[in-house]
Structures are given as C-alpha cells and as structure tokens.
C-alpha cells in the first residue's frame, strides 16, 4: 500500500517556499495516497525555542495545513511529540547509523556554523529522527522541497541498512517526491540563497500570513536585474533573481516557466511584478483568511490534532512492536 508522510517545523511562519515546494503538492497528493502530515515540534527543539511561541506555532502550522486544503477527515494531521514511537525508533535507528553518514549532511554544517562543538547533539542527530518519522509508518512516498533530498537519501540508506542487518524486507525504501516548478524557491533579496524562515530579513520571503500590502511591498522591493524578461528559459540561467520570480509566478499560476515567458517576454520587471503581486494575493489571501478563522478556535485545532495523534499512534505503535520483535527487544 502506498502511504505518504511529510512534515514541517513549527518555527516562525510558513512562507511561499514551504507552500510551493511542499504543502501545495500535499494537497493534490491526498487524493491518491493514504496521507500522514506531521507538525514536527521535536525537530524544532534542535534550535532554541520559546515554549509559548513553539506551542502557538504548532497550532498555526496546523491551521496552515488545513487552510491550504489538507482535509483532516481524510488525512492524519498530528504533532510529532504526541506520538512517542518517533523518539523510540529514532534511538533504535541511531544505533544502526554510522556517524560518517551524518558527517556528510550539509544542513548540519550550515546550521551549526563555525562553532560546531557548541551545536546540540539533537541538531546532529536530526536526520535520524526524520528517518524515524517516515519509517515508523513504513511510508512509501515523501513529498518535500529540494533541500530535504539529502535527508531522504539518508532515510533510504538507514532503511536499507536495517533490512540487511536483520535480513528482512521490513522497511520500504521511501521515494522522495520533489514536484512542480518551484522545488527550491529562492530569497527575494538574493537569488543564490534559499527562501528561509531563518533569514534575518523579512523582505527575503513572502509569508502565508502576509496581507496584500505587505506582499506588494516585498515583491516591489525584490531584487532583479535591469534586463526585460527573456524569450526562453535558457536565457534565465545566469539571472538567478529573474529566474526565481518567473518560477514563483509559474508555480502560482500552475503553468511552466516557458509559458510564463511566452506571455511576458520583452516586458520590464516592473510590469511583471505587478502581475505577480495580483496572482500571489489572489492565491494566498484565501489561505490567510481561512488560517485566521481557524486560529480563532484553538480548541477545534487541538481536537483535530488529538484525533490525528490517536490514529497515528495506532499505526506507529503496531509497527514499533514488529520492529522490537525483529530486534529482540522484550515487550510486556
Ligand atoms: P522545513 O520545516 O524546513 O520545511 C518544510 C517543507 O518546505 C520545504 N521548503 C522549501 N521548498 C522549496 N523552496 C524553499 N525555499 C523551501 N524551504 C522549505 C522543505 O523542503 C520541506 O518539504 N526536516 C524537515 C521536516 C521533517 C520532515 C520529516 C519532512 C521532519 N521529518 C519527515 C519529511 C518527512 C524540515 O525541516 O522541513
């Protein structure tokens, strides 16, 4: 059976990269797969968090999932800390993962910075917890943005190592699903950097909760070059910022980058930006309105998460029991 698992960290607000690279794809995939969508609050702990803010963000990300179109009746939506099997399997898998594999992870190197000795052990072990998230449900497909590709390859390696060690075909090797035009949305201020929640400048990203005026301001201030839009996508190759805006437009419009160029070739970016603002507001305003509505009834969000956690727990604890039997861990 095909089963999707994916998740987002409840750190700060979700942005257009999270939406176009992942969340929007989840919405279309929920019709084809049994789907489990997690708010990965344990992953958020790898960097310092304020307790009240973390709690609020967990509910807000839940609201964003639902507002974007994830149906809590058909899909399982829950927060990671509510299902203990993630942490338990993470320990088990960490005992099957050579440190050399983790040393290759580029995201750890970026996030730990120069003072690696001061980085938390959890930041280093983060990809093992991510593997556990996926494997505890024996998920077959994982829709993510491109920045998660290396972590997913590691999850496949860990699953393969476990299967070989116990000579069992137990874990499916999860397939990454990196879909659509915008698998890597770049910063609006620097087309060589990923759009990211951790960028100091709020002008580098469009948040799902930004209002129309803020979106307009950010798009107007977005970096571009002086040339007009070119005729073909090959001509965007050395124009990172131009390429990014064309990519964002195309992803929001549901067309290819070439279709966008066919329409706007020869026009200046000032005009194109106006069309981009209209489109972004048109697509994002209903999501932020619905998020606000959902956030006005936190009790209902908590009920959805509790129901999701119950269903997730049923699957995860049955799989964990099988895993313990395979390993030889005594169960009461
Ligand atoms: P996170 O919270 O950083 O991002 C959530 C999702 O958004 C995608 N994404 C982007 N896509 C395109 N352009 C961007 N600029 C951009 N920024 C973020 C990410 O690829 C991701 O799909 N480790 C994960 C969370 C996680 C997870 C998992 C995902 C934990 N366990 C198990 C899948 C399966 C993370 O930090 O994503």
């Amino acid at each position: 059976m095909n089963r999707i698992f994916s998740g987002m960290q409840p750190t700060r607000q979700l942005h257009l990269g999270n939406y176009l690279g992942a969340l929007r794809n989840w919405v279309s995939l929920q019709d084809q797969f049994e789907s489990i969508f997690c708010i990965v609050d344990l992953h958020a702990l790898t960097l310092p968090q304020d307790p009240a803010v973390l709690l609020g963000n967990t509910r807000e990300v839940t609201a964003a999932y639902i507002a974007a179109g994830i149906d809590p009746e058909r899909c399982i939506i829950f927060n990671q800390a509510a299902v203990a099997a993630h942490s338990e399997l993470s320990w088990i898998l960490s005992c099957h993962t050579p440190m050399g594999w983790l040393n290759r992870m580029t995201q750890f190197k970026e996030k730990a910075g120069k003072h690696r000795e001061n980085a938390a052990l959890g930041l280093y072990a983060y990809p093992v917890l991510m593997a556990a998230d996926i494997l505890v449900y024996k998920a077959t497909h994982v829709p993510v943005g491109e920045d998660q590709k290396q972590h997913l390859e590691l999850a496949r390696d860990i699953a393969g190592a476990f299967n070989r060690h116990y000579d069992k075909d137990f874990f499916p090797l999860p397939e990454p699903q990196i879909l659509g035009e915008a698998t890597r949305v770049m910063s609006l201020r620097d087309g060589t950097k990923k759009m990211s929640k951790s960028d100091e400048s709020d002008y580098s990203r469009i948040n799902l909760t930004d209002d129309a005026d803020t979106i307009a301001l950010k798009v107007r201030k977005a970096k571009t070059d002086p040339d007009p839009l070119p005729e073909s996508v090959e001509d965007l190759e050395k124009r990172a910022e131009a390429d990014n805006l064309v990519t964002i437009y195309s992803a929001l419009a549901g067309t290819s980058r070439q279709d966008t160029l066919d329409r706007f070739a020869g026009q200046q970016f000032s005009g194109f930006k106006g069309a981009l603002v209209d489109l972004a507001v048109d697509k994002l305003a209903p999501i932020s309105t619905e998020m606000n509505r959902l956030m006005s009834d936190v009790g209902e969000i908590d009920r959805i998460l509790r129901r999701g956690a119950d269903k997730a727990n049923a699957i995860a604890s049955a799989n964990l029991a099988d895993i313990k039997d395979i390993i030889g861990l005594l169960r009461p």
Side-chain angles (χ1 to χ4, degrees):
M1 184 208 7
N2 287 330
R3 179 182 280 158
I4 278 183
F5 181 93
S6 201
M8 296 202 182
Q9 294 194 57
T11 44
R12 302 215 196 159
Q13 291 164 335
L14 297 189
H15 54 66
L16 197 57
N18 300 128
Y19 179 61
L20 295 177
L23 185 50
R24 206 181 51 155
N25 297 328
W26 302 359
V27 175
S28 29
L29 291 166
Q30 69 183 330
D31 297 327
Q32 302 159 40
F33 292 87
E34 179 190 348
S35 303
I36 306 177
F37 298 118
C38 188
I39 296 94
V40 291
D41 45 8
L42 295 175
H43 274 100
L45 298 184
T46 53
L47 294 174
Q49 301 294 333
D50 176 283
V53 174
L54 177 62
L55 206 57
N57 283 343
T58 297
R59 292 179 175 131
E60 194 172 293
V61 172
T62 309
Y65 286 6
I66 298 167
I70 302 291
D71 178 359
E73 298 300 322
R74 265 189 297 162
C75 306
I76 297 178
I77 304 176
F78 74 106
N79 66 303
Q80 191 182 25
V83 179
H86 290 240
S87 306
E88 250 189 282
L89 182 58
S90 179
W91 172 258
I92 291 171
L93 295 180
S94 74
C95 298
H96 293 75
T97 307
M99 284 182 26
W101 291 2
L102 290 175
N103 290 340
R104 290 204 292 267
M105 296 295 113
T106 52
Q107 201 170 85
F108 172 73
K109 290 177 197 162
E110 280 161 29
K111 289 202 173 169
K114 286 197 199 97
H115 306 290
R116 220 172 272 182
E117 300 74 32
N118 295 339
L121 172 61
L123 189 65
Y124 182 69
Y126 175 117
V128 181
L129 178 58
M130 180 162 160
D133 296 338
I134 299 164
L135 298 177
V136 83
Y137 299 97
K138 298 173 98 176
T140 54
H141 293 78
V142 185
V144 284
E146 200 183 276
D147 61 336
Q148 296 302 316
K149 199 168 166 210
Q150 195 185 34
H151 289 156
L152 275 179
E153 279 159 9
L154 183 81
R156 288 170 64 89
D157 288 344
I158 294 174
F162 183 97
N163 289 349
R164 273 192 307 281
H165 185 81
Y166 295 103
D167 196 19
K168 288 248 167 358
D169 198 12
F170 184 75
F171 289 126
L173 302 190
E175 286 286 337
Q177 289 186 300
I178 300 173
L179 305 169
E181 281 288 326
T183 56
R184 188 174 178 83
V185 178
M186 308 308 279
S187 156
L188 299 180
R189 308 299 289 159
D190 176 352
T192 64
K193 270 173 39 187
K194 189 181 70 167
M195 185 178 282
S196 154
K197 291 179 199 160
S198 54
D199 196 315
E200 288 154 18
S201 168
D202 200 46
Y203 285 100
S204 68
R205 60 185 162 259
I206 293 173
N207 301 311
L208 289 192
T209 47
D210 283 346
D211 61 22
D213 289 344
T214 310
I215 292 175
L217 189 64
K218 287 178 174 177
V219 172
R220 234 181 295 125
K221 276 180 167 276
K223 194 174 161 197
T224 38
D225 55 47
D227 294 334
L229 280 96
E231 284 184 2
S232 94
V233 281
E234 286 81 52
D235 300 326
L236 285 171
E237 231 162 63
K238 295 222 158 54
R239 299 174 63 187
E241 285 83 13
D243 191 359
N244 190 38
L245 294 186
V246 170
T247 301
I248 291 173
Y249 184 96
S250 311
L252 285 171
T255 58
S256 70
R257 286 184 307 156
Q258 189 56 55
D259 284 342
T260 303
L261 292 182
D262 289 346
R263 185 162 161 215
F264 291 99
Q267 293 191 28
Q268 292 300 325
F269 264 93
S270 48
F272 175 69
K273 281 179 169 182
L276 178 55
V277 170
D278 289 346
L279 181 62
V281 170
D282 189 48
K283 298 287 178 187
L284 299 184
I287 299 178
S288 72
T289 307
E290 181 61 5
M291 271 179 77
N292 286 335
R293 194 191 65 76
L294 290 162
M295 284 301 284
S296 68
D297 185 359
V298 170
E300 178 57 16
I301 290 189
D302 289 358
R303 272 191 292 281
I304 290 170
L305 287 173
R306 209 172 311 127
R307 238 186 308 135
D310 286 345
K311 290 188 204 158
N313 224 333
I315 303 171
S317 44
N319 286 337
L320 190 64
D322 290 345
I323 292 164
K324 287 181 175 172
D325 290 347
I326 290 172
I327 296 178
L329 294 170
L330 193 63
R331 292 192 289 119

